[in-house]
Amino acid sequence: MTESLSQSILATARDKGATVTCAESCTGGKVAAALTDVAGSSAIFERGFVTYSNAAKTDMLGVFPDTLAAHGAVSEQVAREMALGARRLSGADVAVAISGIAGPGGSEHKPEGRICYALATASGTLSQTVEHGALGRAAVRAAATLHALTLVQTALDEM
């Protein structure tokens, strides 16, 4: 599923002359890997950011420490700042960001499977939280990767 979606993203972005980047936390680079698994992806993807720790989010993407302190890493506010930072630093037309609890574990307030996404384009930034559920670490990461790729495809389709 991710392979065909990544191929579609490549074709759509190439047709529209658009570029894509990603800022990933809990997926650990799976979105970048899915995109670069497709031959020719260098035409639309130059770089991505894996920012697993809060320090990396701040240092690499410019996420504000106050935002992390107020909302935590698993929040739409942090995901938005991740996407905006990735877009600004890469010069890409579309930036997707992911931060969440892949598991095992979580808490009452931030359960396993909660993933916050953000998408930044010239048209603006949107964010959303999806409760994928306690599917297990690998399945949550796979679901998050697929959802992020779907957000990118939708943004490209709307350009």
Side-chain angles (χ1 to χ4, degrees), residues 32-55:
L35 291 169
T36 59
D37 277 348
V38 179
S41 60
S42 61
I44 63 112
F45 187 88
E46 181 181 295
R47 70 186 81 177
F49 303 85
V50 176
T51 55
Y52 208 65
S53 70
N54 287 352

Side-chain angles (χ1 to χ4, degrees), residues 2-143:
T2 58
E3 184 178 347
S4 62
L5 186 51
S6 294
Q7 290 171 342
S8 178
I9 288 168
L10 174 61
T12 306
R14 191 180 301 155
D15 288 350
K16 296 189 177 202
T19 55
V20 175
T21 192
C22 55
E24 303 179 66
S25 186
C26 64
T27 48
K30 288 185 168 292
V31 173
L35 291 169
T36 59
D37 277 348
V38 179
S41 60
S42 61
I44 63 112
F45 187 88
E46 181 181 295
R47 70 186 81 177
F49 303 85
V50 176
T51 55
Y52 208 65
S53 70
N54 287 352
K57 289 172 181 64
T58 299
D59 295 346
M60 293 175 64
L61 296 171
V63 172
F64 292 106
D66 289 348
T67 305
L68 285 159
H71 303 285
V74 182
S75 65
E76 290 185 32
Q77 293 87 343
V78 166
R80 290 173 71 86
E81 289 184 14
M82 289 171 66
L84 288 166
R87 186 168 183 267
R88 178 177 47 81
L89 292 165
S90 69
D93 298 298
V94 177
V96 67
I98 307 135
S99 188
I101 308 287
S107 69
E108 178 184 339
H109 300 289
K110 293 190 179 177
E112 179 180 330
R114 175 174 292 170
I115 310 294
C116 298
Y117 301 90
L119 189 78
T121 66
S123 300
T125 306
L126 64 85
S127 60
Q128 61 183 210
T129 299
V130 176
E131 303 289 348
H132 292 287
L135 308 172
R137 186 173 182 81
V140 169
R141 288 168 47 124

